[in-house]
């Protein structure tokens, strides 16, 4: 080991920008295997975050590691901006084959989910000749200027950074906690669709809108699925007005919800483009936009060219990732273990009144922690819980202050999942008994 967690963090603190990390726990990770992480002091943690859903195949999967090693010994880098390489060419074909849209599609490479979402803006404007982009509050699309402008989850993503990209209009997302206690699903959907249409009826000409960009399931917004009826309404609206429909699959794709893509949880909805990254290459820096051929041919080089995008090593990792998901049946595994996790948290909700909504889509969950009396979000209780879970040997973080983000690697074993439930049993019981205290750095923790 190279030092303690606190020693290494103290050394890093002098030279590391505050804006580059959302603070949670004082831990320095050293290595990982499957669903287990180990810090520099040798402490082990069950990983319930999967590197922000970037390691769906787990840590150091042998198939992925071997593919990286073999490719690095063959060709580490030559920019696809000028020449093709055999590995990336194979990956383009594989991705096109699993695209959630019919008809011919094409792929464009990037290095991160952020630049992939920037690329969606480029292609949409080029293809339609229109300027406006519509996205949703609560969304997280990335940290480059275009993707940051699309986002609506944190004030620190706009504070001191203006002016942002012009032409982006945000509409409210129908998050489940916004539904009133006595409100029917139909009324809730109609109420939010009315709010969706208001800009189009007052200041935003539909015939000047290029694309609607959505997360079918908002990730950092709270692991919240868009109501299917609302999805259908905005999809039909887009088609009626010649507006493209794009889905950000960076967080929710690559098997996370038990399907290749989160949009496949909505039968009959075919996007015009999707963005993917994170778990595409098991956490290595690779992204892609997959879109209908006519749209993807609307730009000429070098409008979306990056020197290292489509790197052969990251592409080899992505090919291996697809192999692992297919051969180890991780889609079915996510569905099966997700159902087990949902049953556990639903049972815990019946036992503990501080557990509000439970949302689980495969191994992809958001658990609301609320004040038992008022039902209001309880950020203090949430912080107590995530810190106690960390002390007991698992890593989970919060979203929106009061939502537990449950996204373990899809390779987590049932035995490990049972260990996780035992940890939560203890943490929940201790919170209920008033035994948990806030950590010293509580005010600095979280989004």
């Amino acid at each position: 080991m190279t030092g303690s967690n606190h020693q290494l963090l103290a050394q890093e603190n002098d030279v590391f920008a505050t804006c580059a990390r959302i603070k949670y726990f004082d831990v320095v990770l050293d290595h990982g295997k499957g669903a287990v992480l180990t810090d520099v002091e040798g402490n082990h943690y069950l990983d319930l975050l999967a590197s922000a859903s970037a390691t769906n195949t787990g840590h150091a999967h042998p198939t992925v590691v071997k593919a990286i090693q073999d490719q690095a010994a063959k060709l580490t880098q030559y920019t696809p901006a000028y020449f093709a390489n055999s590995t990336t060419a194979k990956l383009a074909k594989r991705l096109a084959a699993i695209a959630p849209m019919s008809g011919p599609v094409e792929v464009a490479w990037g290095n991160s989910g952020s630049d992939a979402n920037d690329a969606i803006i480029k292609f949409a404007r080029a293809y339609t000749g229109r300027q406006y982009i519509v996205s949703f509050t609560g969304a997280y699309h990335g940290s480059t200027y275009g993707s940051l402008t699309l986002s609506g989850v944190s004030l620190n993503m706009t504070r001191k950074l203006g002016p942002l990209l012009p032409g982006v209009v945000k509409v409210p997302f129908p998050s489940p906690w916004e539904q009133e206690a006595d409100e029917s699903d139909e009324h809730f959907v109609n109420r939010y669709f009315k709010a969706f249409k208001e800009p189009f009826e007052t200041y935003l000409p539909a015939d000047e809108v290029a694309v609607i960009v959505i997360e079918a399931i908002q990730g950092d917004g709270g692991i919240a699925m868009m109501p299917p009826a609302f999805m259908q309404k905005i999809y039909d609206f887009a088609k009626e007005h010649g507006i493209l429909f794009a889905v950000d699959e960076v967080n929710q794709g690559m098997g996370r919800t038990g399907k290749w893509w989160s949009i496949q949880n909505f039968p009959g909805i075919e996007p015009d483009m999707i963005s993917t990254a994170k778990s595409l290459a098991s956490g290595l820096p690779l992204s892609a936009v997959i879109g209908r051929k006519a749209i993807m041919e609307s730009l000429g080089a070098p409008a979306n060219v990056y020197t290292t995008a489509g790197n052969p090593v990251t592409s080899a990792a992505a090919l291996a990732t697809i192999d692992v998901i297919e051969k180890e049946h991780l889609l079915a595994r996510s569905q099966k273990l997700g159902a087990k996790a949902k049953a556990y948290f639903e049972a815990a909700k019946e036992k503990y009144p501080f557990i509000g909504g439970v949302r689980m889509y495969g191994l992809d969950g958001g658990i609301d922690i609320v004040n038992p009396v008022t039902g209001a979000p309880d950020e203090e209780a949430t912080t107590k819980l995530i810190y106690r879970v960390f002390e007991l040997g698992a890593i989970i973080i919060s979203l929106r202050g009061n939502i537990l983000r449950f996204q373990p690697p899809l390779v987590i074993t049932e035995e490990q999942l049972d260990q996780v439930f035992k940890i939560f049993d203890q943490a929940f019981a201790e919170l209920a008994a008033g035994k948990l205290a806030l950590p010293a750095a509580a005010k600095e923790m979280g989004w």
Side-chain angles (χ1 to χ4, degrees), residues 227-249:
F230 182 82
M231 173 75 81
Q232 190 66 55
K233 284 178 179 292
I234 64 169
Y235 181 75
D236 291 344
F237 181 91
K239 295 306 170 187
E240 178 186 352
H241 294 282
I243 301 169
L244 298 181
F245 199 78
V247 182
D248 180 341
E249 293 280 358

Side-chain angles (χ1 to χ4, degrees), residues 14-259:
D14 290 336
V15 292
F16 190 71
T18 301
C19 67
R21 178 177 299 145
I22 300 167
K23 182 176 176 59
Y24 277 103
F25 314 116
D26 289 337
V27 61
V28 179
L29 301 175
D30 184 73
H31 60 275
K33 189 68 175 176
V36 178
L37 293 165
T38 305
D39 69 15
V40 294
E41 297 176 5
N43 301 307
H44 303 296
Y45 307 92
L46 289 163
D47 184 9
L48 305 181
L49 178 60
S51 186
S53 195
T55 51
N56 288 356
T57 59
H59 305 290
H61 193 290
T63 299
V64 178
V65 170
K66 186 176 188 306
I68 292 169
Q69 292 172 333
D70 289 349
Q71 181 60 53
K74 181 181 177 184
L75 179 67
T76 302
Q77 162 66 3
Y78 207 95
T79 177
Y82 292 115
F83 304 108
N85 67 77
S86 57
T87 306
T88 307
K90 291 175 185 175
L91 177 61
K93 190 174 180 66
R94 292 285 293 278
L95 280 179
I98 61 173
M101 59 200 75
S102 56
V105 300
E106 290 185 348
V107 177
W109 303 118
N111 298 298
S112 71
S114 296
D115 64 45
N117 287 320
D118 277 14
I120 281 177
I121 296 172
K122 296 178 190 177
F123 285 115
R125 284 177 166 172
Y127 178 73
T128 64
R130 302 174 177 185
Q131 64 166 312
Y132 290 110
I133 315 293
V134 173
S135 64
F136 285 83
T137 57
Y140 179 82
H141 294 293
S143 292
T144 52
Y145 257 91
S147 59
L148 179 148
T149 307
L150 293 178
S151 301
V153 73
S154 169
L155 289 175
N156 278 351
M157 295 185 72
T158 56
R159 185 176 281 118
K160 304 179 183 180
L161 296 177
L164 301 182
L165 188 72
V168 174
V169 176
K170 293 186 180 69
V171 291
F173 186 87
S175 300
W177 48 86
E178 298 295 346
Q179 187 169 0
E180 297 172 2
D182 58 349
E183 186 176 26
S184 69
D185 292 344
E186 181 180 11
H187 186 274
F188 177 60
V189 165
N190 288 338
R191 178 161 63 89
Y192 267 80
F193 186 56
K194 181 180 179 181
F196 168 84
K197 289 193 298 181
E198 185 173 355
F200 295 97
E201 295 170 347
T202 54
Y203 65 89
L204 180 64
D207 58 2
E208 294 185 23
V209 175
V211 63
I212 298 170
V213 182
I214 70 162
E215 292 174 279
I217 300 172
Q218 284 198 340
D220 293 289
I223 315 293
M225 178 181 280
M226 184 175 284
F230 182 82
M231 173 75 81
Q232 190 66 55
K233 284 178 179 292
I234 64 169
Y235 181 75
D236 291 344
F237 181 91
K239 295 306 170 187
E240 178 186 352
H241 294 282
I243 301 169
L244 298 181
F245 199 78
V247 182
D248 180 341
E249 293 280 358
V250 174
N251 188 313
Q252 301 292 318
M254 297 303 292
R256 171 52 59 190
T257 69
K259 299 182 184 294

Side-chain angles (χ1 to χ4, degrees), residues 268-354:
I269 305 294
E270 280 197 16
D272 297 299
M273 289 181 283
I274 65 169
S275 55
T276 179
K278 287 186 183 276
S279 280
L280 171 61
S282 288
L284 268 64
L286 176 67
S287 69
V289 174
I290 311 171
R292 300 189 189 281
K293 183 180 179 71
I295 298 169
M296 303 301 286
E297 285 295 320
S298 63
L299 286 172
N304 197 61
V305 165
Y306 309 90
T307 300
T308 57
N311 170 277
V313 174
T314 61
S315 295
L319 284 168
T321 297
I322 295 172
D323 285 341
V324 169
I325 292 172
E326 291 178 341
K327 292 177 181 178
E328 298 188 12
H329 309 291
L330 295 189
L331 303 185
R333 183 177 190 79
S334 178
Q335 293 173 26
K336 177 185 175 183
L337 296 187
K340 182 172 182 174
K342 182 176 182 178
Y344 169 79
F345 285 112
E346 289 284 6
K349 178 183 175 183
E350 294 301 312
K351 186 176 181 180
Y352 298 108
F354 55 74

Side-chain angles (χ1 to χ4, degrees), residues 1-13 28-29 40:
M1 300 298 178
T2 56
S4 72
N5 289 316
H6 289 287
Q7 287 172 334
L8 290 172
L9 286 168
Q11 292 171 20
E12 181 194 56
N13 188 55
V28 179
L29 301 175
V40 294

